[in-house]
Amino acid sequence: MSRVEGLRADSSQFTLEGEPFCILGGSIHYFRVPRAHWEDRLLRMKACGLNTLTTYVPWNLHEPEKGTFNFQDQLDLKAFINLAAETGLWVILRPGPYICAEWDLGGLPSWLLQDKDMQLRTTYPGFVNAVNLYFDTLVAVIKPLMFEEGGPIIAVQVENEYGSYAKDESYMPFVQNCLQSRGIKELLLTSDNWEGLSYEGVEGVLKTINLQRLSFGAIQHLAEMQPQKPLMVMEYWSGWFDVWGEHHHVFHAEDMLAVVSELLERGVSINLYMFHGGTSFGFMNGAMDYGTYKPQISSYDYDAPLSEAGDCTPKYQLLRTLFSQYHSKPLPEVPSPCERRVYDPVSIQQHLSLWDSLHFTDKPFRSEKPVNMENLPVNNNNGQSYGYTLYETIITCGGTLNSKNNIRDRALVFVDRQCVGTLDYKTHELALPDGKGEMTLSLLVENCGRVNYGKALDEQRKGIVGDILLNHTPLRGFTIFCLDMKPCFMKRLMSSGQWKSDGKLPSIPGFFQARLYVEGPPKDTFIKLHGWGKGAVFVNGQNLGRHWFIGPQHHLYLPGPWLRSGENQIIVFEEQKADDKIFFAENPDHGKTIDVYKLPFCTLL
């Protein structure tokens, strides 16, 4: 393959290796798809007629602690990009440092928030220094994969939708320099929605737009901003994401196809966001906050052409027919559907109360005042990033507990380990019962997901972030337990001899254990938690994500490669109510739906 000239934007049409090139792209996030399924999803992308893969790079996964980097196994970015090349796909890389992506803090590591003066996505020295150290490592991984070096990466995006944030005019040139000074020479792009497109661009960087419908003359506006430059929709939203307590968003295939067809007829390059959404496994979902905080669900199905479990939807079939018209040769065959199994229901065999699990946590921290998660002295002093934090103190009377809206994001409140209510963004006050002598007040606080988009990124510290008042007096003398439920904690928990299998009513909140026996090669399935309340599910130590009876998500995707032939351990952490069984399903239940096309345009910005 000639490496004379990469992707160029020197005229109204892209060229690649000197020939006209229309980008038919699609987004798949390697960190949202089990590694064993990467190849299948990329083959389906190629068979649909796409020629380019786009992916974000999540800083918070690759540098979970300051100076500790992980590009192995599920996070082997190099392997993912090489697999795309072997499949015959070009790659556009979107390395951030901020990525949005409906991902906790837009992909930024929570340890950045240990600095009380931190200004994310600016040239604030603490942020600049952290970005530089991260890019030193990241660029060393991706530079050999550039087109110039014989790799498949033909373009790199500079940050993400900065026009909608726009707090520091020096910031985007800084990120551009972070790439170019480390030897990145491929075409650089920016990506903005309609709102952010008016932000002054970066010299030498091509603007692209994100949209779902052709309104306000968006494409014409982009063309007028960059005369004699190729046009590209970097994010053509093929569906939309979901938040807890609302309906599942759908975008009808025919409505989507009409817009994609028109874009291609007008010679506009396109990237389907998402082509395959996958799953925000663990506690990695983001949240939105336009005046009301709304955490996102674990499923990132997105109503995309490939479903969460990799099924080819009607959208996929319609797009394949359309894209085939832009190829001179027949498209590859679509791989056979991924096989799934509905395993027999399993019974809960053992349970362990939250209180009995506390000695498996790291050493508790004692503090006169409450301390937010990120500033706890855990994880090698990088703080706690995700999960739950338990705050305990002694009280000598009941009365009115007032959170002063300092709970982030939701707290179960206990007096002497009896649940008395919940505090969150909407509920700030709670009546505590009177009692005799000293009583233990416990607040189990859940980080439901940090906001990933908007102006509030600097305010995403979690846990208890200020004083909690009892009868107008600030509480003091806290013992704080980190319950991030990382693999090391789950391993200690699983090997514990303290699980109870008696017939007594189990203590809530707590952990519930069942065993699934798999005969033959494991297959994908969905876990169905009918009769359960709220919590998280772990299979063989892997955190599948959150469950919550309010929906819209009612099933959790369980990848076959995370199971093994023979015995498998399922642990449900449950906050509210437990059933005695866990069920399985072949297909997900997305709950009630709402058509994205009928929503006001502003809600999609």
Side-chain angles (χ1 to χ4, degrees), residues 5-61:
E5 190 175 79
L7 188 68
R8 297 288 182 267
D10 299 330
S11 66
S12 60
Q13 188 170 20
F14 286 113
T15 60
L16 181 60
E17 298 180 308
E19 298 294 325
F21 184 69
C22 179
I23 297 168
L24 302 176
S27 290
I28 300 177
H29 299 154
Y30 58 99
F31 46 95
R32 280 184 160 126
V33 180
R35 181 168 178 166
H37 286 334
W38 285 355
E39 184 176 17
D40 173 81
R41 307 308 192 249
L42 293 172
L43 287 170
R44 291 175 194 279
M45 173 178 275
K46 183 70 175 174
C48 192
L50 301 184
N51 58 27
T52 304
L53 163 75
T54 67
T55 187
Y56 282 130
V57 181
W59 182 5
N60 52 12
L61 291 188

Side-chain angles (χ1 to χ4, degrees), residues 243-265:
V243 297
W244 288 112
E246 297 188 5
H247 289 177
H248 171 58
H249 292 91
V250 296
F251 182 24
H252 292 302
E254 293 76 12
D255 293 332
M256 181 206 69
L257 195 75
V259 180
V260 174
S261 298
E262 183 174 344
L263 288 169
L264 294 180
E265 285 168 11

Side-chain angles (χ1 to χ4, degrees), residues 95-343:
Y98 162 84
I99 62 171
C100 184
E102 289 71 64
W103 194 253
D104 189 276
L105 202 59
L108 301 175
S110 65
W111 47 258
L112 290 166
L113 298 174
Q114 290 185 319
D115 178 351
K116 64 179 175 53
D117 300 317
M118 176 56 66
Q119 298 170 48
L120 301 172
R121 303 179 73 192
T122 70
T123 51
Y124 175 75
F127 188 69
V128 164
N129 293 339
V131 170
N132 273 318
L133 288 170
Y134 170 54
F135 269 49
D136 283 345
T137 299
L138 174 62
V139 174
V141 172
I142 64 174
K143 188 172 182 294
L145 303 168
M146 296 293 148
F147 179 91
E148 183 190 53
E149 307 268 351
I153 300 176
I154 55 174
V156 178
Q157 185 176 299
V158 181
E159 235 263 355
N160 190 63
E161 295 183 322
Y162 195 70
S164 304
Y165 197 71
K167 289 191 175 183
D168 183 344
E169 62 184 21
S170 302
Y171 174 66
M172 287 295 279
F174 158 69
V175 180
Q176 177 189 19
N177 184 61
C178 277
L179 296 164
Q180 292 178 332
S181 65
R182 289 170 175 82
I184 301 299
K185 298 176 183 175
E186 306 306 332
L187 180 68
L188 297 182
L189 313 162
T190 58
S191 164
D192 284 289
N193 58 32
W194 172 262
E195 172 197 31
L197 199 59
S198 58
Y199 179 72
E200 186 178 343
V202 185
E203 189 175 346
V205 178
L206 183 73
K207 282 179 177 255
T208 68
I209 191 169
N210 304 338
L211 52 78
Q212 189 166 61
R213 59 187 85 176
L214 292 173
S215 42
F216 304 114
I219 298 298
Q220 185 60 35
H221 181 56
L222 180 63
E224 289 167 359
M225 294 180 81
Q226 298 181 129
Q228 289 304 300
K229 291 289 182 185
L231 299 169
M232 181 171 184
V233 178
M234 176 55 79
E235 291 186 15
Y236 179 71
W237 301 319
S238 65
W240 202 243
F241 59 87
D242 297 332
V243 297
W244 288 112
E246 297 188 5
H247 289 177
H248 171 58
H249 292 91
V250 296
F251 182 24
H252 292 302
E254 293 76 12
D255 293 332
M256 181 206 69
L257 195 75
V259 180
V260 174
S261 298
E262 183 174 344
L263 288 169
L264 294 180
E265 285 168 11
R266 291 167 67 173
V268 179
S269 284
I270 189 170
N271 174 59
L272 299 169
Y273 188 97
M274 298 293 295
F275 176 74
H276 170 52
T279 310
S280 300
F281 293 111
F283 297 130
M284 298 309 299
N285 63 276
M288 55 192 291
D289 191 346
Y290 302 117
T292 304
Y293 172 82
K294 297 179 180 181
Q296 292 141 9
I297 66 173
S298 294
S299 170
Y300 201 58
D301 179 87
Y302 210 84
D303 196 34
L306 272 191
S307 73
E308 179 178 16
D311 296 326
C312 297
T313 67
K315 280 183 185 173
Y316 180 97
Q317 307 298 348
L318 288 170
L319 286 167
R320 187 170 190 263
T321 300
L322 174 64
F323 291 147
S324 68
Q325 300 168 25
Y326 292 84
H327 291 268
S328 56
K329 297 178 181 177
L331 296 178
E333 289 293 314
V334 179
S336 301
C338 295
E339 192 179 340
R340 289 206 286 280
R341 270 179 76 179
V342 181
Y343 298 102

Side-chain angles (χ1 to χ4, degrees), residues 382-418:
N382 287 274
Q384 181 181 345
S385 294
Y386 315 107
Y388 297 77
T389 309
L390 181 69
Y391 296 80
E392 292 196 327
T393 188
I394 300 299
I395 57 174
T396 54
C397 65
T400 301
L401 188 69
N402 190 320
S403 72
K404 304 291 288 183
N405 199 22
N406 285 323
I407 298 291
R408 299 288 184 277
D409 296 296
R410 186 174 180 275
L412 295 180
V413 182
F414 304 84
V415 174
D416 285 341
R417 298 186 170 174
Q418 295 298 309

